[in-house]
Amino acid sequence: MTTWEKARVAGLVARMAKRGLADDRQCGGRVHQRDLEARIDRIIDGAKKREGKS
């Protein structure tokens, strides 16, 4: 992974943590984070694809 990809993943993980902390736990404690997980998956998949080409 490039430095940019690592930084991007770290930023998205921080956003996921922030969402988790902001949850008031009154609605069952469920926070929707699938959108951020999908973005992380796309970054990792792109890095793997690029690694396979080289």
Side-chain angles (χ1 to χ4, degrees), residues 1-51:
M1 292 180 79
T2 64
T3 304
W4 173 251
E5 290 168 336
K6 290 177 186 177
R8 196 67 198 129
V9 169
L12 291 170
V13 169
R15 286 182 64 188
M16 291 173 71
K18 185 178 177 182
R19 282 187 187 180
L21 289 173
D23 183 25
D24 62 1
R25 305 263 190 256
Q26 295 201 4
C27 297
R30 306 249 183 224
V31 179
H32 179 73
Q33 295 189 1
R34 185 62 199 144
D35 58 330
L36 297 177
E37 291 171 0
R39 289 173 70 180
I40 291 172
D41 290 342
R42 282 195 304 267
I43 292 169
I44 292 171
D45 290 342
K48 286 180 182 177
K49 184 184 284 188
R50 189 181 57 255
E51 182 181 333

